[in-house]
Amino acid sequence: MLAEVPRAGAEAVDEAVAAARAALPAWRALDPGARARLLAAIAANVEEHLEELAVLEARNAGKAIGDARGEIGMVLDTFRYYAGAPERLLGDTIPVAGGHAFTVREPLGVVGLIVPWNFPLTIAAWKLGPALAAGNTVVLKPAELTPLTALRFAELAAEAGLPQGVLNVVVGPGRTCGQRMVEHPDVAKIAFTGSTEVGRSIAAGAAQTIKRVTLELGGKSANVVFADADLQTAAQAAPLAVFGNAGQDCCARSRILVEQSALDEFLAELESAVKSLRVGDPLDEATQMGPLISAGQRETVASFLDDEGVNVAFRGSAPEGPGYWFAPTILCPASPDDRAAREEIFGPIAAVIPFRDEAEAIALANDTIYGLSGSIWTRDGARALRVARAVETGVLSINSNSSVRVTTPFGGFKQSGYGRELGPHALDAYTEVKTIYYATEA
Ligand code: NAD
């Protein structure tokens, strides 16, 4: 066993909210430079404990150690980036009659952060950085399966000097603790990352108190490969764009749309890339993909292969024995109507769907309730930009599968959610704009 953590109930949320509320006046009044220095000190302490946090995350979530190091690196980069924010929360001055009007950004108050198990501390940091920078105090609820790095992070933040009550971690189930956060009258906002289904219930619950809500939800992103692309590069990059983190990635490019005339060449290259993917012990430095998070998740993922008419084209390898292993799997040809092409699988299965021309590629890419991420591979620059504008999705990459950065906004269109994390835009989600008018007429 890795660790045992007591399960909190709704009363623990009430205590955490009370602590956050008590800490709010001093935190929001702290001078911006002091708040900036504290966030930088937290980043420095995370950096000092990077390896410890990465191993803890890898063991708890079963993710490849190289990935875990990258994720904890992103945590410290996020804090470094938002350490620049307290002194740059600018307002406007607006010409009006009879005096001066200007705007200031006020913190929201106590903010509730609810995060999933797939990138536990990274996604928490995406919310904590801007929330704290803007002068809010927070209650963070990690996912039941992956609380360990959030708990350790809170210790490291306290060591770095974060005042008591500013960050409170509650480890408990979503349906009790999470729900209490959503209902609590003293919580001003819920920032949620998780499934679209739970996101829907959070939006409905938050409506009772007109809470601010941002939602980062599921995805079913398209990786669109045109025949004029560098097919070898596109095919070699495709496996980790969907099988990274064992496919448990909201940005997973799980629909690979390939122009019909290039299908055979692309598939041959893809097969060799999938078969050479190193699936194994998360703590082995060579590992690229670990097991799934739980028995339940493996069962859900496996059920997609039982569907009628599913064509398994080829599979990679996975170890035998203990662990929720699932070999990376390519379905081809898949129909856009297959369940595997419509639902978020959140596991290492990708559906390859052929298309005839640009118009069909765009129609297929948009034929989903989701709109989070995606890629376009082509050597035709004008086409790349045409398609990029036509695809209904929040982040997109051209001739690359990399679209999440600390410095650029991230979030979804359609039922992938609303609001933006990261970049300068995240601060909008943790502040209210206040307009002040000062009459100057004598
Ligand atoms: P989940 O929705 O089951 O749980 C997410 C969090 O919500 C957990 O902390 C859980 O305890 C809590 N929760 C559950 N029920 C709740 C309720 N009724 N009220 C309040 N809180 C509740 O999601 P998961 O299975 O942990 O994560 C997988 C999902 O997260 C996938 O759909 C994935 O696409 C999505 N995700 C999205 C992003 C993004 O940025 N868009 C990033 C990562 C994961």
Side-chain angles (χ1 to χ4, degrees):
M1 191 204 301
L2 178 57
E4 218 167 319
V5 181
R7 172 194 293 241
E11 66 294 339
V13 171
D14 292 349
E15 284 165 26
V17 172
R21 206 170 169 212
L24 185 63
W27 180 245
R28 62 174 294 179
L30 194 65
D31 90 67
R35 206 152 63 222
R37 282 190 294 279
L38 256 170
L39 295 187
I42 293 173
N45 211 19
V46 168
E47 187 166 30
E48 216 165 283
H49 295 84
L50 194 146
E51 190 61 19
E52 176 203 333
L53 286 165
V55 171
L56 193 59
E57 197 82 298
R59 293 186 70 200
N60 194 183
K63 61 174 71 233
I65 183 67
D67 290 350
R69 276 191 201 109
E71 288 171 31
I72 304 301
M74 193 179 201
V75 171
L76 81 93
D77 286 345
T78 304
F79 272 83
R80 270 189 195 138
Y81 180 76
Y82 288 107
E87 294 167 299
R88 293 174 179 80
L89 273 179
L90 306 179
D92 300 306
T93 56
I94 299 166
V96 291
H100 288 276
F102 60 98
T103 63
V104 290
R105 303 251 209 135
E106 302 285 16
L108 300 174
V110 176
V111 174
L113 314 178
I114 302 178
V115 300
W117 45 258
N118 58 341
F119 300 110
L121 191 56
T122 306
I123 289 178
W126 295 359
K127 302 179 190 319
L128 285 167
L132 295 176
N136 302 280
T137 56
V138 304
V139 176
L140 166 66
K141 196 199 85 58
E144 295 89 315
L145 293 172
T146 53
L148 300 182
T149 46
L151 290 168
R152 183 69 185 118
F153 175 85
E155 291 171 359
L156 295 173
E159 261 174 46
L162 193 69
Q164 211 187 345
V166 172
L167 160 62
N168 306 274
V169 180
V170 178
V171 177
R175 67 183 177 284
T176 50
C177 291
Q179 193 159 332
R180 180 67 186 145
M181 288 164 74
V182 173
E183 290 165 355
H184 202 299
D186 291 338
V187 173
K189 179 216 166 97
I190 295 288
F192 172 78
T193 298
S195 58
T196 294
E197 189 188 347
V198 173
R200 223 172 260 133
S201 84
I202 285 180
Q208 296 308 311
T209 45
I210 318 290
K211 271 187 186 49
R212 277 65 184 140
V213 179
T214 43
L215 300 173
E216 297 289 350
L217 308 176
K220 191 71 195 172
S221 299
N223 187 357
V224 184
V225 182
F226 287 95
D228 66 359
D230 176 344
L231 290 178
Q232 194 184 2
T233 304
Q236 288 292 333
L240 279 178
V242 50
F243 302 144
N245 210 39
Q248 302 162 127
D249 182 343
C250 51
C251 288
R253 274 82 165 157
S254 55
R255 293 183 301 145
I256 306 176
L257 313 183
V258 184
E259 192 163 356
Q260 183 73 57
S261 58
L263 187 62
D264 291 345
E265 190 184 340
F266 180 84
L267 278 180
E269 196 69 47
L270 181 66
E271 182 165 4
S272 86
V274 169
K275 291 194 166 156
S276 61
L277 205 64
R278 291 186 296 274
V279 181
D281 178 357
L283 295 182
D284 181 337
E285 295 290 340
T287 291
Q288 293 172 292
M289 182 185 128
L292 292 166
I293 185 87
S294 64
Q297 188 69 11
R298 183 169 65 175
E299 207 176 299
T300 308
V301 172
S303 76
F304 283 87
L305 298 189
D306 297 335
D307 286 358
E308 210 176 306
V310 159
N311 297 312
V312 175
F314 45 84
R315 304 189 74 182
S317 64
E320 303 281 326
Y324 308 117
W325 300 105
F326 197 90
T329 303
I330 297 288
L331 309 180
C332 182
S335 154
D337 299 324
D338 291 347
R339 191 168 68 103
R342 305 207 72 75
E343 293 183 14
E344 183 181 46
I345 299 174
F346 230 53
I349 300 178
V352 176
I353 305 170
F355 65 85
R356 282 183 309 275
D357 55 22
E358 187 178 313
E360 193 184 14
I362 293 167
L364 284 170
N366 290 337
D367 182 20
T368 169
I369 60 166
Y370 297 111
L372 189 56
S373 187
S375 301
I376 300 160
W377 295 81
T378 173
R379 285 193 175 96
D380 179 338
R383 164 183 278 166
L385 291 179
R386 265 195 319 268
V387 178
R389 293 301 302 268
V391 174
E392 298 156 351
T393 182
V395 287
L396 203 58
S397 31
I398 298 168
N399 296 332
S400 159
N401 295 315
S402 143
S403 50
V404 183
R405 286 181 185 77
V406 170
T407 54
T408 56
F410 172 72
F413 280 23
K414 304 198 284 190
Q415 293 190 37
S416 287
Y418 43 73
R420 289 294 176 272
E421 306 211 275
L422 297 174
H425 300 66
L427 292 160
D428 295 342
Y430 293 97
T431 50
E432 294 278 20
V433 173
K434 181 185 281 174
T435 305
I436 300 175
Y437 171 67
Y438 198 149
T440 54
E441 276 172 355

